[in-house]
Amino acid sequence: MSAKLSGGASAKPCRFGQQSLATLVILLLALAGLLALQSQVLVFDFGDSGPDARFFPRLILALLVLVTGLRLWLRRADLEEAPGAVLDWGRVLLIGLLIAVAVLLMDALGFLLCATAVGVLLAWVLGERRLLFGLLLPLAVAVLVAFGARYALNIPLP
């Protein structure tokens, strides 16, 4: 039983592979988000009994932790493709760096500009060359998220 990689070379299946590695990274980031949520999201209490600005992020992050933890537990015995060579992870590191830079610049440049730029650059890095999916879709998603957060959920974005 051998797994084929995109380059045509066969890799030896292993217990902890690409899928588990990606799931573990998502789990750790969601846990870090839950821990940082209290100090990062400001809440002004005006006596409302409804959910505050931390409710939906806390709900999403908790569900993400639950789902990724279950995925790791239920598929712990499955064979997966090996993670690959270190040089093949350049694109992954570039994407992580791109997102980190956008988060750091978000206060100065604003959510809409940073989210659109990240979406367009991610589409290009991942190989999308069509105008609709590479340029217009990230712009539309960023506008929907920005206006939905600001006007529907009353969440102040930078």
Side-chain angles (χ1 to χ4, degrees):
M1 175 185 213
S2 68
K4 285 287 195 180
L5 295 176
S6 60
S10 62
K12 186 176 177 182
C14 60
R15 294 270 182 231
F16 193 83
Q18 289 177 346
Q19 295 87 1
S20 294
L21 183 62
T23 305
L24 181 64
V25 168
I26 292 170
L27 174 66
L28 292 175
L29 289 173
L31 284 172
L34 276 174
L35 293 174
L37 187 64
Q38 190 70 21
S39 65
Q40 294 295 320
V41 178
L42 297 175
V43 173
F44 301 102
D45 185 17
F46 297 114
D48 294 336
S49 62
D52 60 7
R54 290 187 193 121
F55 177 76
F56 291 109
R58 186 179 293 131
L59 178 68
I60 298 299
L61 289 171
L63 287 173
L64 195 57
V65 166
L66 178 69
V67 168
T68 54
L70 280 173
R71 193 260 179 225
L72 283 173
W73 179 257
L74 294 175
R75 302 231 175 157
R76 66 188 181 279
D78 291 354
L79 292 177
E80 301 175 355
E81 283 185 16
V86 174
L87 293 176
D88 294 334
W89 286 85
R91 186 185 302 183
V92 174
L93 294 174
L94 178 64
I95 290 170
L97 182 66
L98 179 65
I99 292 172
V101 167
V103 168
L104 290 174
L105 293 176
M106 198 168 290
D107 280 338
L109 300 176
F111 174 82
L112 188 60
L113 180 63
C114 286
T116 302
V118 165
V120 169
L121 290 173
L122 281 178
W124 182 77
V125 166
L126 295 174
E128 184 58 55
R129 299 297 182 255
R130 292 176 287 181
L131 181 65
L132 179 65
F133 293 115
L135 208 60
L136 299 178
L137 185 62
L139 177 63
V141 170
V143 167
L144 284 173
V145 169
F147 284 105
R150 185 167 292 142
Y151 297 113
L153 299 174
N154 290 329
I155 297 174
L157 295 175

